[in-house]
Amino acid sequence: MVAPVPPAASIFDRNSFSFLSLKLHSLHALSPSDIQVLEDLPTTERTLDKDKNLITEGQMQWSAFLIKEGMAMRYRMMPDGGRQILSLLIPGDLCDIHGSLTQGVSHSISTITQLRIAAIPRSSIAALCEQHPNIQAALCLDALQEEAILRERIVSLGRRDARGRISHLLCELFWRYEAIGLTASSVFQIPLTQTELGDILGLTQVHVNRVLRVLREQRLIKVENRKLQICNVNGLQDIAEVSREYLGFRET
Amino acid sequence: MVAPVPPAASIFDRNSFSFLSLKLHSLHALSPSDIQVLEDLPTTERTLDKDKNLITEGQMQWSAFLIKEGMAMRYRMMPDGGRQILSLLIPGDLCDIHGSLTQGVSHSISTITQLRIAAIPRSSIAALCEQHPNIQAALCLDALQEEAILRERIVSLGRRDARGRISHLLCELFWRYEAIGLTASSVFQIPLTQTELGDILGLTQVHVNRVLRVLREQRLIKVENRKLQICNVNGLQDIAEVSREYLGFRET
DNA sequence: CGTAGGCTTGATTCTTGTCAACCGCGGTGG
DNA sequence: CCACCGCGGTTGACAAGAATCAAGCCTACG
């Protein structure tokens, strides 16, 4: 049903390119030289433990950062202890590209798994954009995708029931992981607990559990120690009433 | 409790400046000459009827547009006829500034009231930014505000009950109208029907009605033919667990 | 004068939340 | 080495918040 290798990446040897290149390339066609420039970006890497808050201090002030491995989230704590997860950051995602974290922003970012990130000076990104219009276009589409994801989350929370919300989220994650080549025969890693799923979707952990059981029973998904298999994307899409297009990935 | 005149605008004669100037100025201090430039922006105005879809065709392709009067919304229809309103556009709001409407975006914009808009060529905006760093900064903050509003909506839909959602929305609208000088002693126009409120907040019209009644009975608000009076902002804020800061308006 | 759209209200249903208990596993310390 | 603990997942009983269905009202408008 779903090709395990996203066509957008197929002309390259996906294994030799970074997740950022793969994602941008599946948003906007990049030339081999564009890709090379991306691969050569000078970065300083850093590793963070699980469940740590990500603070941008010192040198990081002037850098955006790129997720290289693991998962992080933007979230907001409520006075009563409730938590709303606003978005998930996965490999290839850029964060704080316009310095929004340093402005008085009302949410935090923290790691969900151990995380490997690379700091990229915002000046390098600006230079990149000036010299490589394809990369600029791709980054622009990437920003639009991020917005589209936010809007789609609003649609989920406002108009879909629990089954729809969960189905939609699973589809979204699947498609995003697919674009960066981290799926294999519709299987990918989800490090999220059911509590975290609930905090993304505005549901309780208990209810998430029950709905997941139903989805399993209907053979739409399989879950096995942190690995999720999407057995029937179309089925999930139908439940969520969502189409892959909103992510803006080009192809087929 | 709440000053009827936002301090941010107080050094100018607010009546002589456009809503755009007022909003930007309350996000980032502008010099009189900055304001003058904004006022002198060449625009072509247009008026649209109530409940019309806003399509950007022809000349509009290359323009952003600015709401000068009335209210519009971005929304998304669901296959089952349901509607989720994603955001509200009020006077002073810029729309389609990066051409997102012309990309394959999965939502529409339509008018809620009769609407007066001004098309502004994107090239003019770019030129503006190059020559007037204050304006650039303000527009940047404006974009961040728009994002912050989206995120806050997610928090609302995910973590607040009906009372909290409605209280939050009323606060947000109040603060936004205040920034453009369209409130007077905590009263402002809301052209929204209860059905539309429901479609913003993920509630049914009936439930919105009931909750509004409670808020009225608790003397938090008064409603009289399309005019809303906020009798007790602090009360509403407490219910919504929200602070004005997320909007990023400078002052006090 | 009749109609339509929007508001109001009641009765009822249903989705989801809350509370609570239990299981299984992995890690840790005695 | 084993007992214990804590976290994550699973399940049930019950409660609450919101949706649904339905009817009536008011007002602006043709």
Side-chain angles (χ1 to χ4, degrees):
Chain A
M1 209 105 319
V2 168
V5 177
S10 57
I11 60 170
F12 298 108
D13 173 6
R14 62 213 309 240
N15 291 315
S16 45
F17 295 121
S18 69
F19 299 127
L20 178 61
S21 299
L22 288 170
K23 182 176 67 160
L24 292 184
H25 184 58
S26 56
L27 285 164
H28 182 90
L30 298 178
S31 70
S33 76
D34 290 326
I35 304 244
Q36 200 51 52
V37 172
L38 283 174
E39 299 300 323
D40 293 344
L41 258 187
T43 62
T44 58
E45 285 205 14
R46 210 170 117 189
T47 301
L48 288 148
D49 279 345
K50 190 168 146 69
D51 293 320
K52 296 292 172 227
N53 248 59
L54 202 152
I55 313 287
T56 60
E57 85 290 326
Q59 181 202 10
M60 297 281 289
Q61 285 284 87
W62 312 104
S63 302
F65 53 88
L66 169 65
I67 313 288
K68 304 211 86 166
E69 191 181 345
M71 187 183 269
M73 60 176 174
R74 294 170 190 274
Y75 69 99
R76 168 78 175 284
M77 293 307 297
M78 305 297 284
D80 68 356
R83 175 178 65 170
Q84 178 63 42
I85 296 178
L86 295 160
S87 59
L88 295 176
L89 300 168
I90 69 172
D93 283 346
L94 281 164
C95 188
D96 206 20
I97 203 170
H98 289 113
S100 44
L101 260 195
T102 62
Q103 326 267 359
V105 180
S106 52
H107 68 272
S108 331
I109 300 188
S110 97
T111 62
I112 288 177
T113 65
Q114 193 185 329
L115 196 70
R116 205 153 53 82
I117 63 176
I120 306 177
R122 275 193 270 281
S123 54
S124 311
I125 297 178
L128 217 62
C129 284
E130 290 211 3
Q131 292 157 32
H132 304 273
N134 280 334
I135 295 182
Q136 178 169 40
L139 285 174
C140 190
L141 287 176
D142 186 49
L144 286 181
Q145 180 186 67
E146 201 182 316
E147 269 189 57
I149 290 174
L150 276 194
R151 279 195 299 266
E152 198 64 32
R153 185 81 65 238
I154 290 179
V155 171
S156 246
L157 293 171
R159 285 281 165 259
R160 295 200 251 257
D161 63 8
R163 265 180 92 220
R165 288 183 210 179
I166 293 185
S167 301
H168 164 250
L169 180 64
L170 298 183
C171 285
E172 182 189 301
L173 283 175
F174 175 58
W175 291 323
R176 287 171 69 190
Y177 275 113
E178 194 182 43
I180 54 174
L182 285 184
T183 58
S185 45
S186 300
V187 179
F188 62 99
Q189 288 278 146
I190 337 185
L192 297 166
T193 65
Q194 294 181 349
T195 305
E196 285 159 343
L197 287 173
D199 286 349
I200 298 170
L201 299 170
L203 301 168
T204 57
Q205 174 267 324
V206 174
H207 202 59
V208 168
N209 180 288
R210 289 194 240 265
V211 174
L212 281 177
R213 178 159 59 85
V214 175
L215 294 181
R216 258 185 279 125
E217 286 167 358
Q218 294 179 165
R219 315 223 169 272
L220 291 159
I221 59 172
K222 270 181 201 155
V223 190
E224 209 166 311
N225 72 310
R226 308 276 115 167
K227 283 204 158 80
L228 177 73
Q229 173 168 19
I230 306 287
C231 305
N232 181 353
V233 208
N234 294 327
L236 288 178
Q237 276 187 250
D238 289 349
I239 293 172
E241 297 186 320
V242 74
S243 116
R244 187 170 177 282
E245 288 164 36
Y246 78 96
L247 289 172
F249 290 130
R250 66 209 175 76
E251 132 257 30
T252 61
Chain B
M1 208 101 319
V2 168
V5 177
S10 57
I11 59 167
F12 299 107
D13 172 8
R14 64 214 307 241
N15 290 315
S16 46
F17 295 121
S18 69
F19 300 126
L20 178 61
S21 299
L22 288 170
K23 182 177 67 162
L24 293 184
H25 184 57
S26 57
L27 285 165
H28 182 89
L30 298 179
S31 70
S33 76
D34 290 326
I35 304 244
Q36 201 50 52
V37 172
L38 283 173
E39 299 300 322
D40 294 343
L41 257 186
T43 62
T44 59
E45 285 204 12
R46 212 171 117 188
T47 301
L48 288 147
D49 279 345
K50 190 169 144 71
D51 293 321
K52 296 292 171 228
N53 248 59
L54 202 152
I55 313 286
T56 60
E57 85 291 327
Q59 180 201 7
M60 299 281 289
Q61 286 284 86
W62 312 103
S63 303
F65 53 88
L66 168 65
I67 313 289
K68 305 210 85 166
E69 191 182 345
M71 187 183 268
M73 60 178 175
R74 293 169 191 275
Y75 68 99
R76 167 76 176 285
M77 294 306 298
M78 304 296 285
D80 67 358
R83 177 178 65 170
Q84 179 62 43
I85 296 179
L86 296 160
S87 59
L88 295 176
L89 300 167
I90 69 174
D93 283 347
L94 280 164
C95 187
D96 207 19
I97 203 169
H98 290 114
S100 44
L101 260 193
T102 62
Q103 326 267 0
V105 180
S106 51
H107 68 274
S108 329
I109 300 189
S110 96
T111 61
I112 288 177
T113 65
Q114 195 186 327
L115 195 70
R116 204 154 52 82
I117 62 176
I120 306 177
R122 275 192 270 280
S123 52
S124 311
I125 296 177
L128 217 61
C129 285
E130 290 210 3
Q131 292 156 32
H132 304 272
N134 280 333
I135 295 183
Q136 179 169 41
L139 284 174
C140 190
L141 287 176
D142 186 48
L144 285 182
Q145 180 186 68
E146 201 182 316
E147 268 189 59
I149 289 174
L150 277 193
R151 278 195 300 266
E152 198 64 33
R153 185 82 64 240
I154 290 179
V155 171
S156 244
L157 293 170
R159 284 284 164 255
R160 295 198 251 257
D161 63 8
R163 264 180 95 221
R165 288 183 211 180
I166 293 184
S167 301
H168 164 250
L169 180 64
L170 298 183
C171 285
E172 181 188 303
L173 284 175
F174 175 57
W175 291 324
R176 288 171 67 189
Y177 275 113
E178 195 182 44
I180 54 174
L182 284 185
T183 58
S185 46
S186 300
V187 179
F188 62 99
Q189 291 278 145
I190 341 183
L192 297 166
T193 65
Q194 294 181 349
T195 304
E196 286 159 341
L197 287 173
D199 286 350
I200 297 170
L201 299 170
L203 302 168
T204 57
Q205 175 267 325
V206 173
H207 202 58
V208 168
N209 180 287
R210 288 193 241 266
V211 175
L212 281 178
R213 177 159 59 85
V214 175
L215 294 181
R216 257 184 280 124
E217 286 167 358
Q218 294 180 166
R219 316 227 168 270
L220 291 159
I221 58 171
K222 269 181 202 155
V223 190
E224 208 166 310
N225 71 312
R226 305 279 115 165
K227 283 203 158 81
L228 177 73
Q229 172 168 19
I230 307 287
C231 305
N232 181 351
V233 208
N234 294 327
L236 288 178
Q237 276 188 250
D238 289 348
I239 293 172
E241 299 185 318
V242 74
S243 118
R244 188 171 176 282
E245 289 164 35
Y246 79 95
L247 290 171
F249 290 129
R250 68 207 173 76
E251 131 255 34
T252 62

